[in-house]
Amino acid sequence: MRAVPGSSLLSCAIAIVFGVEIARGAMDNDAGLLRLGALPDNGQLHGEYWRFLTFGFLHANVLHLVLNTALIWLTGPAVERRAGTAWFLIVFLSGSIISGICIFAKHIRSPASGTTVGASGGLFALLAVALILLFRSPSQSPRLRRVLLVALIVGLLYSLLPGVSM
């Protein structure tokens, strides 16, 4: 079995950032999350475009962290072993930044109070790539394909819950 350094690195980075959130009292605290780099839901960036990157490493609470970490370990190895660590990181970062831009565009049109945080945009990008790679080789990993399809359906349904960013 090949190592998956990108998945490990991403998991560690998110865990370290969550430790900082806890240490600074920012968990479930919009003001604290904004200080750490969350996206403001009021549609006002004030030139702080770096937030499109940082919001993806922040998490609202332990459940949010656990769900996203589980998705890293479901999708990461499938992408990393088939496409490489560099592509794994490119897909995650691109998906996260693009989702941040889309969320921000929504909040420009419909400002709200609060913040947006989480790696879900990058992880859904990894999920899509993992499914594409696995379906290109139907004889490989049929069980993993089914698990990832279930994760996709559950994730889409979960995103329809109130307070969850789409």
Side-chain angles (χ1 to χ4, degrees):
M1 220 157 91
R2 284 186 12 212
V4 285
S7 300
S8 300
L9 177 68
L10 181 58
S11 295
C12 287
I14 288 173
I16 289 168
V17 170
F18 195 70
V20 171
E21 284 182 55
I22 291 170
R24 297 241 179 122
M27 188 170 52
D28 275 331
N29 175 334
D30 287 336
L33 288 169
L34 280 171
R35 283 191 296 275
L36 293 175
L39 276 176
D41 289 351
N42 65 6
Q44 302 296 313
L45 269 186
H46 305 291
E48 298 173 331
Y49 300 107
W50 49 269
R51 291 181 183 277
F52 291 129
L53 177 64
T54 56
F55 92 101
F57 289 90
L58 297 165
H59 287 79
N61 52 48
V62 174
L63 177 62
H64 190 199
L65 176 76
V66 168
L67 290 173
N68 278 346
T69 302
L71 198 51
I72 290 170
W73 288 105
L74 277 174
T75 61
V79 173
E80 205 167 350
R81 289 187 182 126
R82 288 164 179 80
T85 301
W87 278 110
F88 164 84
L89 293 171
I90 289 167
V91 167
F92 172 78
L93 291 172
S94 299
S96 185
I97 291 167
I98 291 167
S99 72
I101 292 168
C102 292
I103 290 165
F104 180 69
K106 175 193 174 262
H107 288 299
I108 287 173
R109 292 179 53 115
S110 302
S113 61
T115 60
T116 297
V117 294
S120 301
L123 294 173
F124 270 88
L126 284 172
L127 179 57
V129 170
L131 284 166
I132 290 166
L133 292 171
L134 289 169
F135 274 96
R136 288 179 67 193
S137 303
S139 62
Q140 291 183 351
S141 309
R143 183 171 178 260
L144 180 56
R145 281 198 318 270
R146 285 191 299 274
V147 168
L148 292 179
L149 283 171
V150 168
L152 175 64
I153 292 166
V154 169
L156 291 173
L157 291 173
Y158 184 79
S159 72
L160 298 174
L161 294 174
V164 176
S165 179
M166 293 184 74

